[in-house]
Amino acid sequence: MRGLIQGRQLLISTLIDYAAEFHGDTEIVTKTVEGPIHRYTYGESQSRAKSMAKALAGFGVKLGDRIGTLAWNTHRHFELYYATSGMGSICHTLNPRLFAEQLTYIVNHAEDKFLFLDSNLVPLVEQLAPTFESVEGYIVMTDEETMPETSLPNALCYETLIKENDDDLEWPSFEETTASSLCYTSGTTGNPKGVLYAHRSTVLHSWAACMPDVLGINSRDTILPIVPMFHANAWGIPYAAAMAGAKMVFPGPHLDGESVWKLMDQEKVSFTAGVPTVWLMLLTYMRETGTTLEHVKRVVSGGSAVPRAMIEEFEEKHDCRMIHAWGMTEMSPLGSVGTFKAGVGDLPAQERYDIQVKQGRGIYGVEIKIVDDDGKELPRDGVAFGNLLVRGPWICDSYFKGEGGDVLDADDWFDTGDVCNIDAQGYIQIVDRSKDVIKSGGEWISSIDLENAAVGHPEVAEACVIGVPHPRWDERPLLLIVRDPGSQIGKDEMLTYLEDKIVKWWMPDDVLVVEELPHTATGKLLKSQLREEYADHKLPTAGEAAE
Ligand code: AMP
């Protein structure tokens, strides 16, 4: 028997309509690409999204067409999220930090019909445009005054299109399972693969993000998403914020510590989200200038592991709670979030940090389990670790155009490629990427744990641990560190520091001081490159083999 309840479709356009109707005066603030601050409201944003949707329809854009965006976090990018998906086309966000060949591959693979780009990315796109096979026109996201001279074919100015099209538009209705947006994984090996989100998955994910035990996004919040809108839709925040009617603050391309701090201070930001690298820049700025965060209460960090020292500094010096979250592009991306269960908040600080440093606990909507290499489920005792599998209504079931083949097992579980343990309370701890874990004499060593321990040293700015071949143990850990300016810390001091922080057999066999470490386009350590670079590194312990 079917329930007698309306089957209204869960569409992305309903989010901006809600925000405009019930939070029409709530502000959206942008530090623009060109520099000045821009302010307007959800009401104006919805109206302009509709004008842009009409402009796209005028260009012949149809249901399912891919529209590329190569853009920073701004109000125009926000409008495009709604204009493109609202009219039934697919918002394909592109990461400007990718290698040129990857951008070419992705645009051609997605068959983007139009490409929207920020004005400071015009030179990059001018170089690449001849390699794009499907793009019919380029829209520069700026106004007529700042529209740059460009050799791009069929280049148009964003604000001209807004002016030329009124907002007299009813969003079309279609099946909620229709594709809404597309984001390619950064792909450290092989070609990037496209994750194709749907209207339904996006709305459900937004609902989850607003839950108090998830991100708790609400209408009293002022939100600064530093995580880029081209990285898993800024973790879904532009949708969830509209669902809640929260004030939004967009940083444009200005992500250095000073710019971020100023924006937080001026706009009284209460909630922010980004990767640890960004927090490192912000904390360094605040240390150097003796400033603090007056209004920020929640700092969500994901994308890579948060060092404990960072959680402590935010809390003890700035009275901000760091909420550690884990997820991936394939998961829309939220998978687990480190909000407190009853009682956790009352624990002594150090015991609480033991929990906060984990990647959070399962949230409604994402089923999780850990299995060994034979697929046998492992206990949730906080010790046993294995491959992390997930399934749920916002987790991908295959990649765009079937790349990579079947990615689910017979019961719909998706293998995340992460290795973790789960404790009795349901908090997960990522031990490693399955390909980064160091296999030493048949046992596993977590490179993330070692890195966290190393960056706990006050003079270590960044650390990376990789496994290098060892004649006796298969692999042993090599620690690479970037020192703080002025620091003289070297191998001996580092190893002494680690002595009481890790078990003996995890001790790195060598420590090298490097100027910098390579990162992927989404800010993760590029370990594949380092493994190649140090494949022949002779560990001082390698001689043991001969004994
Ligand atoms: P991406 O799809 O680019 O967001 O990358 C997802 C991957 O980033 C995950 O599979 C994890 O390996 C890693 N990751 C995400 N969040 C965390 C976290 N909080 N701690 C450790 N690794 C993380």
Side-chain angles (χ1 to χ4, degrees):
M1 194 183 294
R2 217 174 150 252
L4 299 177
I5 298 294
Q6 296 183 10
R8 302 285 295 169
Q9 301 297 291
L10 301 175
L11 298 180
I12 286 175
S13 54
T14 63
L15 300 173
I16 192 72
D17 281 354
Y18 168 79
E21 187 178 350
F22 290 97
H23 303 274
D25 294 337
T26 299
E27 269 189 320
I28 299 175
V29 180
T30 301
K31 172 102 175 127
T32 58
V33 174
E34 291 78 18
I37 295 282
H38 175 276
R39 285 174 196 281
Y40 72 164
T41 62
Y42 273 116
E44 291 167 87
S45 180
Q46 179 216 35
S47 155
R48 285 163 51 91
K50 287 186 168 185
S51 300
M52 191 48 79
K54 273 181 114 169
L56 288 171
F59 294 147
V61 172
K62 300 181 305 296
L63 198 73
D65 282 345
R66 271 78 68 202
I67 307 297
T69 65
L70 195 65
W72 310 108
N73 291 10
T74 69
H75 62 291
R76 293 192 183 103
H77 204 178
F78 178 78
E79 289 163 8
L80 280 174
Y81 266 38
Y82 289 99
T84 50
S85 305
M87 58 99 62
S89 64
I90 296 170
C91 183
H92 173 204
T93 52
L94 289 146
N95 182 345
R97 300 195 188 108
L98 289 174
F99 293 120
E101 311 81 70
Q102 285 180 315
L103 281 170
T104 298
Y105 170 83
I106 293 175
V107 168
N108 291 338
H109 188 267
E111 298 173 74
D112 289 333
K113 205 163 178 180
F114 286 89
L115 184 62
F116 285 81
L117 62 146
D118 270 324
S119 57
N120 67 343
L121 298 171
V122 167
L124 170 71
V125 179
E126 280 173 344
Q127 277 179 18
L128 296 178
T131 67
F132 294 161
E133 291 159 7
S134 52
V135 179
E136 294 173 15
Y138 296 85
I139 298 108
V140 183
M141 296 161 71
T142 194
D143 56 25
E144 284 161 15
E145 271 152 50
T146 45
M147 178 75 184
E149 282 283 313
T150 173
S151 61
L152 284 172
N154 300 329
L156 296 165
C157 171
Y158 188 95
E159 290 301 327
T160 312
L161 292 180
I162 295 280
K163 243 192 264 164
E164 286 172 353
N165 290 275
D166 63 35
D167 63 356
D168 185 14
L169 173 98
E170 280 281 317
W171 298 114
S173 187
F174 34 76
E175 289 268 323
E176 63 190 18
T177 46
T178 303
S180 59
S181 54
L182 177 63
C183 182
Y184 281 69
T185 59
S186 35
T188 44
T189 50
N191 279 324
K193 294 194 278 295
V195 180
L196 189 61
Y197 307 104
H199 284 259
R200 173 187 151 85
S201 65
T202 304
V203 173
L204 292 175
H205 182 266
S206 310
W207 244 313
C210 292
M211 281 168 42
D213 273 0
V214 182
L215 302 185
I217 290 176
N218 64 77
S219 61
R220 273 101 38 220
D221 270 328
T222 296
I223 305 180
L224 174 70
I226 303 181
V227 50
M229 291 171 75
F230 52 74
H231 186 190
N233 298 321
W235 301 346
I237 290 171
Y239 303 115
M243 177 179 266
K247 174 177 167 182
M248 288 291 274
V249 182
F250 289 116
H254 317 281
L255 305 185
D256 59 285
E258 181 175 3
S259 305
V260 166
W261 182 84
K262 279 193 174 148
L263 208 51
M264 287 176 163
D265 193 56
Q266 278 160 19
E267 298 303 323
K268 301 189 169 48
V269 167
S270 62
F271 173 95
T272 181
V275 296
T277 328
V278 165
W279 307 134
L280 192 67
M281 293 193 287
L282 177 65
L283 287 172
T284 307
Y285 171 78
M286 292 195 291
R287 250 179 264 140
E288 282 169 5
T289 53
T291 44
T292 188
L293 294 169
E294 240 182 87
H295 310 284
V296 178
K297 291 291 158 234
R298 281 131 62 222
V299 178
V300 174
S301 190
S304 51
V306 177
R308 187 187 182 104
M310 195 176 264
I311 299 175
E312 289 179 3
E313 187 168 348
F314 265 112
E315 178 142 341
E316 289 167 15
K317 287 209 183 139
H318 305 288
D319 196 22
C320 298
R321 172 130 313 147
M322 273 213 115
I323 302 169
H324 196 179
W326 164 86
M328 58 197 306
T329 307
E330 287 88 336
M331 301 174 66
S332 296
L334 290 176
S336 63
V337 183
T339 47
F340 293 171
K341 278 180 123 172
V344 173
D346 302 327
L347 291 172
Q350 291 306 325
E351 280 176 49
R352 192 157 46 72
Y353 295 143
D354 287 344
I355 295 175
Q356 282 177 261
V357 88
K358 298 186 179 200
Q359 275 77 1
R361 58 195 167 98
I363 56 179
Y364 175 78
V366 182
E367 291 176 71
I368 55 175
K369 67 172 178 180
I370 42 173
V371 298
D372 65 15
D373 282 342
D374 300 324
K376 192 166 103 355
E377 189 161 356
L378 297 169
R380 300 182 177 208
D381 57 8
V383 181
F385 56 84
N387 304 310
L388 174 56
L389 309 189
V390 293
R391 65 180 178 191
W394 56 79
I395 308 228
C396 84
D397 71 10
S398 59
Y399 290 103
F400 190 44
K401 295 185 174 172
E403 296 296 341
D406 288 339
V407 293
L408 304 188
D409 72 10
D411 298 315
D412 286 350
W413 290 98
F414 175 81
D415 187 341
T416 62
D418 286 326
V419 173
C420 82
N421 65 52
I422 307 178
D423 69 20
Q425 298 241 54
Y427 286 91
I428 72 164
Q429 185 155 30
I430 303 286
V431 173
D432 235 320
R433 288 295 288 165
S434 50
K435 58 187 186 326
D436 294 339
V437 79
I438 297 155
K439 295 176 179 102
S440 171
E443 298 287 339
W444 287 6
I445 298 176
S446 158
S447 65
I448 293 186
D449 274 3
L450 285 182
E451 287 157 10
N452 280 342
V455 292
H457 190 289
E459 291 176 24
V460 173
E462 203 180 7
C464 178
V465 174
I466 52 169
V468 289
H470 187 283
R472 177 164 174 193
W473 300 109
D474 275 344
E475 279 184 342
R476 287 295 302 161
L478 166 67
L479 168 62
L480 306 164
I481 54 170
V482 178
R483 297 189 287 219
D484 277 339
S487 163
Q488 289 305 316
I489 182 176
K491 175 175 172 178
D492 292 344
E493 191 182 338
M494 191 72 239
L495 292 179
T496 311
Y497 173 80
L498 290 176
E499 257 166 21
D500 59 350
K501 298 184 178 62
I502 54 173
V503 287
K504 202 156 169 264
W505 65 275
W506 281 31
M507 195 56 85
D509 286 31
D510 206 357
V511 180
L512 299 178
V513 175
V514 293
E515 285 302 311
E516 56 176 2
L517 290 163
H519 293 93
T520 66
T522 49
K524 296 187 209 312
L525 285 166
L526 193 49
K527 295 195 178 179
S528 52
Q529 182 181 320
L530 290 169
R531 269 195 294 267
E532 239 170 70
E533 208 171 303
Y534 291 96
D536 296 330
H537 180 76
K538 195 158 172 4
L539 293 170
T541 52
E544 282 175 18
E547 285 162 20

